[in-house]
Amino acid sequence: MQTRVAETASRAVVAGLAHDGEALTVTWADGRESRFAAIWLFDNRPDGRHGPDGQRLFDVAELPDEIGIASAVLTGAGAVTVTFTPDGTTAAFAGTWLRDHALDPASRAERRRAPRLWGGELAADLPAATYAEVVKGGQALARWLAHVRDRGFALLTGVPAEEGMVCRVIELFGYVRETNYGRLFDVVSVEAPNNLAYTGLALGNHTDNPYRDPVPQLQLLHCLRAAEEGGDSIVVDGFYAAERLRREAPEDFDLLTRYAVPFRYVERGVVDLQAAAPLIELDCEGAVRAVRYNNRSAAPFDLPEEVVQPFYRAYRRFGRLLHDPAAIVSFRMQAGDLFIVDNQRVLHGRRGFGRGRRHLQGAYADKDGLLSKLRVLEEAHR
Ligand code: NM2
Ligand code: OGA
Ligand code: ZN
């Protein structure tokens, strides 16, 4: 880890400084150049924040209209001290801080973490850990959580096959998200099911609770008792399918990002949950940010008449990619196995099952909590 610190330090060495009144340009020892607008620096000056929590003490509305740079000099230990106009405020920025927040295209690209897309080949090397390891926390927990961040999927084996353990696993990294199905739910085949999940039928690959806004971001399923026959679990990387669609049929991809699909789940007199969202959601830079797909709960599409047929062409193509035998991974959970999916990326399904009292317990959680825990663990082990 020493080398990493040294690397970070050397790349953040300021080799040159220039300013034109409106912006500061830093030339780094590795040749990169980064431009920082005066107002951005002023807004981010360290003493504009409250010491203990780092929260900003002023509002943007209070900033003067014209903020400029009067001077910028290199001061002790690689810091850049800037004096602002009109009021002569000075602020010192650490070189490492400037580099970590630099806005040149290369620096911005480095901060984006690309998901590691996968297809059926993942089966040969399933991201997994044992409960005994991760329950200790620290690096083992961080490694398991990093699979969820990077692959959108991870297995956990050796979880005691006891009721409620699925919530205990969530408590290792975050908080249970309670829903109309309870804090946790039993996935068993029952006489009067209120959801196809509570039958022995096969379930196509799907996002859970697409009729919620926000959708639960993480789903965990823990096997207490395996079926004697069938019931295999299936997962597929929705981001991989979306990228294939973008490449193979760009117009279809475009349609799925531009029109919202309504989803609905009704239990008469109990709930009428409705949410509408695109099947493929993009972020501001055009990267796929979320996938939402659930044939069972899709309500009748509410689309301009002329879009209906092309939309179905796109929807069907996407549905086929999400069930492509070469893209899916299937496995058979035994008692004590658990899997977690990023419910906005990886879809899950199951094969039908016949004999045996198969019993899974499931629960939901939010992903920002998991990512927060992961950052804290990674920071502690850097
Ligand atoms: N259950 C298992 O989101 C769905 O409707 C899929 C969810 C009922 C909590 C099933
Ligand atoms: C679910 C579900 C899969 C299974 O409960 O949401 O998809 O294997 N279950 O029973
Ligand atoms: Zn499900």
Side-chain angles (χ1 to χ4, degrees), residues 19 38 66 75 93 97 128 166 181 223 230 253 256 298 318 362:
H19 77 85
E66 304 293 337
T75 44
F93 299 92
W97 185 90
V166 67
Y181 299 105
C223 181
F253 177 85
L256 300 191
F318 189 41

Side-chain angles (χ1 to χ4, degrees), residues 353-368:
F353 56 93
R355 291 185 302 118
R357 293 201 325 279
R358 181 179 189 267
H359 186 187
L360 309 186
Q361 280 191 327
Y364 302 112
D366 288 320
K367 194 167 68 174
D368 61 346

Side-chain angles (χ1 to χ4, degrees), residues 81-291:
T81 297
V82 178
T83 303
F84 295 94
T85 57
D87 69 354
T89 300
T90 64
F93 299 92
T96 46
W97 185 90
L98 287 170
R99 176 72 178 219
D100 286 346
H101 297 85
L103 303 176
D104 59 276
S107 299
R108 292 190 65 228
E110 275 170 11
R111 286 195 295 271
R112 283 186 79 95
R113 179 181 280 277
R116 296 177 61 198
L117 305 183
W118 50 267
E121 78 289 346
L122 192 75
D125 188 19
L126 288 179
T130 66
Y131 179 73
E133 288 174 284
V134 304
V135 78
K136 291 192 224 131
Q139 276 172 300
L141 177 59
R143 273 194 299 274
W144 190 65
L145 300 179
H147 293 312
V148 184
R149 177 191 60 200
D150 300 335
R151 303 297 203 165
F153 166 74
L155 274 170
L156 197 59
T157 58
V159 183
E162 292 161 17
E163 306 248 343
M165 282 306 296
V166 67
C167 293
R168 299 278 294 278
V169 171
I170 290 174
E171 286 157 7
L172 296 174
F173 63 77
Y175 302 93
V176 174
R177 173 155 166 204
E178 194 168 338
T179 71
N180 54 302
Y181 299 105
R183 188 171 151 80
L184 59 70
F185 46 86
D186 292 289
V187 182
V188 283
S189 176
V190 298
E191 284 292 325
N194 61 4
N195 194 298
L196 281 184
Y198 301 153
T199 68
L201 294 174
L203 300 176
N205 296 336
H206 63 276
T207 304
D208 257 42
N209 290 211
Y211 39 77
R212 298 295 307 274
D213 184 14
V215 78
Q217 296 173 323
L218 297 169
Q219 179 177 15
L220 292 85
L221 283 170
H222 174 215
C223 181
L224 296 182
R225 187 185 169 112
E228 279 163 41
E229 209 176 86
D232 301 33
S233 304
I234 303 160
V235 288
V236 67
D237 186 356
F239 283 12
Y240 173 65
E243 291 305 340
R244 274 181 75 186
L245 187 68
R246 192 200 304 253
R247 204 171 54 239
E248 293 170 13
E251 283 175 24
D252 288 353
F253 177 85
D254 199 48
L255 280 171
L256 300 191
T257 63
R258 285 196 359 246
Y259 291 95
V261 165
F263 293 93
R264 186 174 187 195
Y265 175 81
V266 185
E267 267 176 60
R268 287 195 60 196
V270 184
V271 287
D272 183 351
L273 289 163
Q274 302 187 19
L279 297 184
I280 301 175
E281 210 177 307
L282 302 182
D283 69 14
C284 297
E285 314 218 347
V288 175
R289 160 202 169 84
V291 160

Side-chain angles (χ1 to χ4, degrees), residues 371-381:
L371 295 176
S372 159
K373 180 72 180 186
L374 177 55
R375 286 185 203 106
V376 169
L377 291 170
E378 287 187 337
E379 175 77 33
H381 291 96

Side-chain angles (χ1 to χ4, degrees), residues 304-352:
E305 290 166 344
E306 67 283 6
V307 175
V308 172
Q309 283 184 5
F311 192 86
Y312 267 98
R313 181 196 64 210
Y315 180 39
R316 188 170 54 208
R317 197 190 280 264
F318 189 41
R320 286 178 182 161
L321 290 173
L322 290 169
H323 291 90
D324 177 357
I328 65 168
V329 168
S330 54
F331 53 93
R332 189 134 197 274
M333 284 210 281
Q334 302 300 329
D337 291 347
L338 172 152
F339 77 80
I340 178 170
V341 284
D342 176 339
N343 190 46
Q344 292 180 294
R345 170 177 172 186
V346 171
L347 286 69
H348 63 284
R350 71 158 183 240
R351 307 216 195 278

